[in-house]
Amino acid sequence: MEDQLPHAVVGSDMEMGVSSTNGGMSTTMAVRDADEKRLNELGYKQEYRRLMTPFQQWAYTFSYTAPLGFITGYYGFMYSYGGPVTIIWGYIATTFGTLCMAFGMSEIISAFPTLGSVYYWVAQLVPKKHKAWLSWFVGWVYLFGSFCGTALNEYLLAQLLATCILLGTGGAQANGYTLTAAQICGVTAALFILHFFVSIVNTRWLGLLSTIGAWFQIISIVVICITMLAISPKYQSAKFVFTHFVKAPGNGISSGLLVVLLGLPYAQSILTGFEVGSHVVEEVKTAAMAGPRAMIRSVYVTASTEFVLLLVLTFCIQNPDNVLGVTTMTGGGDASAGSQIFYDAFHAKFGHGSGGAITFTLFACISLFFGNITNVTLTARMAYAMARDAALPCHYWLVTLTPKDRIPINATIVTVIGSFICTLPSLGSNVAFTAITAMSTITAYGPYFVILACRHIFDNRFKPGPFSLGKWGIWIGGWGALWGAVMSILFCIPPVYPVTGSTFNYASVSMSGAILVGVIYWFTTARYNYKGPKRTIELATDSDDNDLVKPNSNKIGIGSPPTLPVSQILKGENHLDLKGSNGFSSSPPTLPVSQIQNVENHLDLKGSHGIASNEKIFSEAR
């Protein structure tokens, strides 16, 4: 098979067994449970330890969305482009579109519960002639966007910390200390180092951190909502909350429709990432059902909590002019609007607002910190999955796992360094960095669109898993695909007019650059190494071996040779030492048979069932 690895090495995590076939021998691996069996059917052996519960997988996804952190950081951008109209009604629209995408993609993760998510799914959904190039480009774009998304989260966290420092030293109107762009970049670097060490913990600890992060997201939002409602001396009217329109002040836009369309992507940004649970699907139990459930729950739980928080913040605005004002204690501007709302509420109640604003902004920082644990780990696992299929440069190095906990250590190093590089444009141009942050969403929704489109264009190739939408799938998934395409386009519209070099939206340029680099790498290198997701093992086809997995095998020197435990092959005596009636007493290291040379004897491999009998080799075994 063209998709097979050179050989399959059976690790100690697999139980070894021996079955007899037509007088010969075949090497097989006993499947431990349904999750491992399904993974084997998809062509992969179990590498990660399945220590994560379905709840922890959902918590992993929900923690990634970091609702408090993103709403605090993005509230001003949504308010600037449409005000409460965009914040409330725009958010409802994006929630509906996102749910359609999530339901449509849940069918796919249920059918293919394995690492690689978007690029692997595309490879399984399209005809063979399109499998390699299309899946590679989808994976390339998505991985590039994952680096940008990780950079965005870390840089936004650094900016919120800078706001806390400014308020803690007196505020913008009292000569408080303002971090320079270089200092914020330095804080970002320190945060990346911290996240590296947190992200290489084992699966059990990762699940625990995800659970803690998810509960923190919910509890912190509840605390903030109750506190804001309790301390606010006045509330905005329902008319203001549901109908007030802000027409992008200072941005030169005359069209109200264009203002709303520019505001929708910011609402969409805080709902991105519902599929991130797929990046740990090989570490979770009951993956074929836990995966789609985590995906759908992450959307409606995130949307519900974020919508409540948006309502509370909008009702509790004390002075609408301060939300985007420049003569405020937080320094003004879109990025500090959330903190300014906290400050105004505490100041109106107690006469001073720095302490409360700092506390709630730190809550937002912790929210983003937990979110970026997920960001770093998912990006590293995506890189590992593509490297496992020889789709990336230095793929042999990238697939290195730590011996004890099976963590993709080298992929994590590349994730941290690559993501930090994506933050460097902030040193010279906020416009350039804004383009990179927009890329984090475009490169997610573009692949979402391709996946859902392929799912329905090549419907006859798709076999649903345990989770299925039935006849509704075409309508729900179709709307989800359309929504993803629209969002990708809206992110490329210039946000300020007239358009100049300093106001141009460079997201389209950045996207084109990423695709150009991908095209060059594909035609020079990738197309020779990557033929689609590789199968490391094949299922036995005999009726007696339905629950057994065997290494890929053909004749020696052709395709993917099988593997045998080294202890079975005694070169000097040429016999197999069989122990017990149910297989081998232990699972020793293995080598491909083709690598084991003997000057007097050889192994004759026949058919697809492994090793045929050979009088000279097996004479003593008989």
Side-chain angles (χ1 to χ4, degrees), residues 102-184:
F103 271 104
M105 292 175 64
S106 292
E107 279 194 311
I108 300 172
I109 190 177
S110 180
F112 310 114
T114 184
L115 287 179
S117 65
V118 293
Y119 91 96
Y120 181 89
W121 298 338
V122 170
Q124 301 304 313
L125 293 171
V126 301
K128 185 177 181 180
K129 63 180 180 179
H130 301 304
K131 177 175 67 174
W133 74 268
L134 186 55
S135 66
W136 187 87
F137 273 101
V138 166
W140 174 263
V141 169
Y142 186 86
L143 182 61
F144 180 76
S146 295
F147 280 103
C148 292
T150 305
L152 165 64
N153 282 24
E154 210 75 286
Y155 190 76
L156 184 58
L157 172 54
Q159 285 187 315
L160 290 180
L161 288 173
T163 299
C164 291
I165 293 173
L166 176 61
L167 289 172
T169 55
Q173 304 307 310
N175 298 319
Y177 189 79
T178 301
L179 268 62
T180 65
Q183 289 171 329
I184 292 177

Side-chain angles (χ1 to χ4, degrees), residues 293-337:
R293 286 172 177 169
M295 190 177 289
I296 295 168
R297 286 172 182 166
S298 71
V299 176
Y300 69 72
V301 174
T302 300
S304 299
T305 54
E306 288 182 340
F307 187 69
V308 170
L309 182 57
L310 288 170
L311 277 175
V312 170
L313 290 181
T314 307
F315 269 111
C316 293
I317 292 175
Q318 300 302 299
N319 184 353
D321 292 337
N322 282 356
V323 177
L324 302 176
V326 295
T327 58
T328 59
M329 291 298 288
T330 57
D334 296 342
S336 61

Side-chain angles (χ1 to χ4, degrees), residues 28-63:
T28 58
M29 293 177 290
V31 179
R32 285 183 175 179
D33 53 33
D35 287 315
E36 190 170 323
K37 179 180 178 181
R38 180 55 182 149
L39 186 62
N40 296 155
E41 290 171 349
L42 295 174
Y44 294 111
K45 79 185 186 86
Q46 186 72 50
E47 296 277 7
Y48 291 100
R49 304 185 189 280
R50 292 189 184 270
L51 301 175
M52 189 175 289
T53 67
F55 175 82
Q56 289 174 329
Q57 184 191 27
W58 167 80
Y60 180 85
T61 307
F62 180 67
S63 183

Side-chain angles (χ1 to χ4, degrees), residues 43-357:
Y44 294 111
K45 79 185 186 86
Q46 186 72 50
E47 296 277 7
Y48 291 100
R49 304 185 189 280
R50 292 189 184 270
L51 301 175
M52 189 175 289
T53 67
F55 175 82
Q56 289 174 329
Q57 184 191 27
W58 167 80
Y60 180 85
T61 307
F62 180 67
S63 183
Y64 167 87
T65 62
L68 176 58
F70 278 109
I71 286 181
T72 302
Y74 277 0
Y75 188 92
F77 294 96
M78 291 186 287
Y79 192 90
S80 179
Y81 291 96
V85 169
T86 297
I87 290 172
I88 303 302
W89 299 111
Y91 192 80
I92 292 174
T94 56
T95 297
F96 179 74
T98 304
L99 274 172
C100 288
M101 283 189 289
F103 271 104
M105 292 175 64
S106 292
E107 279 194 311
I108 300 172
I109 190 177
S110 180
F112 310 114
T114 184
L115 287 179
S117 65
V118 293
Y119 91 96
Y120 181 89
W121 298 338
V122 170
Q124 301 304 313
L125 293 171
V126 301
K128 185 177 181 180
K129 63 180 180 179
H130 301 304
K131 177 175 67 174
W133 74 268
L134 186 55
S135 66
W136 187 87
F137 273 101
V138 166
W140 174 263
V141 169
Y142 186 86
L143 182 61
F144 180 76
S146 295
F147 280 103
C148 292
T150 305
L152 165 64
N153 282 24
E154 210 75 286
Y155 190 76
L156 184 58
L157 172 54
Q159 285 187 315
L160 290 180
L161 288 173
T163 299
C164 291
I165 293 173
L166 176 61
L167 289 172
T169 55
Q173 304 307 310
N175 298 319
Y177 189 79
T178 301
L179 268 62
T180 65
Q183 289 171 329
I184 292 177
C185 195
V187 172
T188 304
L191 290 169
F192 268 122
I193 294 173
L194 181 58
H195 269 115
F196 169 76
F197 288 105
V198 174
S199 300
I200 58 174
V201 298
N202 63 37
T203 301
R204 194 182 302 278
W205 278 103
L206 181 60
L208 179 61
L209 287 172
S210 299
T211 301
I212 295 172
W215 281 113
F216 177 84
Q217 307 285 359
I218 294 174
I219 293 172
S220 61
I221 289 176
V222 170
V223 169
I224 288 177
C225 287
I226 292 175
T227 304
M228 290 293 288
L229 290 172
I231 68 173
S232 295
K234 67 175 183 178
Y235 305 120
Q236 294 296 328
S237 66
K239 181 179 180 180
F240 176 89
V241 171
F242 294 104
T243 66
H244 184 66
F245 188 74
V246 177
K247 202 172 181 179
N251 291 333
I253 303 174
S254 58
S255 170
L257 176 60
L258 181 58
V259 169
V260 172
L261 292 178
L262 287 169
L264 282 178
Y266 291 107
Q268 188 65 71
S269 294
I270 57 180
L271 278 175
T272 302
F274 53 82
E275 96 303 341
V276 301
S278 64
H279 296 281
V280 292
V281 73
E282 290 184 22
E283 301 169 65
V284 72
K285 303 168 186 176
T286 62
M289 284 303 295
R293 286 172 177 169
M295 190 177 289
I296 295 168
R297 286 172 182 166
S298 71
V299 176
Y300 69 72
V301 174
T302 300
S304 299
T305 54
E306 288 182 340
F307 187 69
V308 170
L309 182 57
L310 288 170
L311 277 175
V312 170
L313 290 181
T314 307
F315 269 111
C316 293
I317 292 175
Q318 300 302 299
N319 184 353
D321 292 337
N322 282 356
V323 177
L324 302 176
V326 295
T327 58
T328 59
M329 291 298 288
T330 57
D334 296 342
S336 61
S339 298
Q340 186 61 46
I341 293 174
F342 297 147
Y343 179 90
D344 285 345
F346 278 96
H347 187 271
K349 178 67 175 181
F350 303 108
H352 53 83
S354 295

Side-chain angles (χ1 to χ4, degrees), residues 17-29 538-542 545 549-556 558 560-564 568 576 593-594 602-614 617-618:
V18 176
S19 61
S20 178
T21 306
N22 298 326
M25 306 292 294
S26 67
T27 306
T28 58
M29 293 177 290
E538 280 293 324
L539 287 179
T541 56
D542 280 3
D545 294 337
V549 176
K550 65 179 183 177
N552 291 330
S553 61
N554 283 302
K555 293 183 179 180
I556 288 181
I558 301 177
S560 304
T563 62
L564 289 176
Q568 294 178 40
L576 295 180
V593 172
S594 60
H602 67 277
L603 296 180
D604 181 22
L605 308 183
K606 298 180 179 180
S608 62
H609 295 289
I611 304 174
S613 60
N614 184 297
I617 294 178
F618 298 124

Side-chain angles (χ1 to χ4, degrees), residues 136-146 148 431-450 484-485 487-489 491-493 504-520:
W136 187 87
F137 273 101
V138 166
W140 174 263
V141 169
Y142 186 86
L143 182 61
F144 180 76
S146 295
C148 292
V431 174
F433 183 72
T434 299
I436 293 176
T437 58
M439 282 285 293
S440 68
T441 304
I442 296 173
T443 51
Y445 284 95
Y448 294 170
F449 165 75
V450 173
M487 286 297 105
S488 298
I489 294 171
F491 263 104
C492 296
I493 299 176
F504 183 73
N505 186 341
Y506 287 91
S508 57
V509 176
S510 301
M511 186 70 179
S512 300
I515 293 175
L516 178 61
V517 172
V519 168
I520 295 173

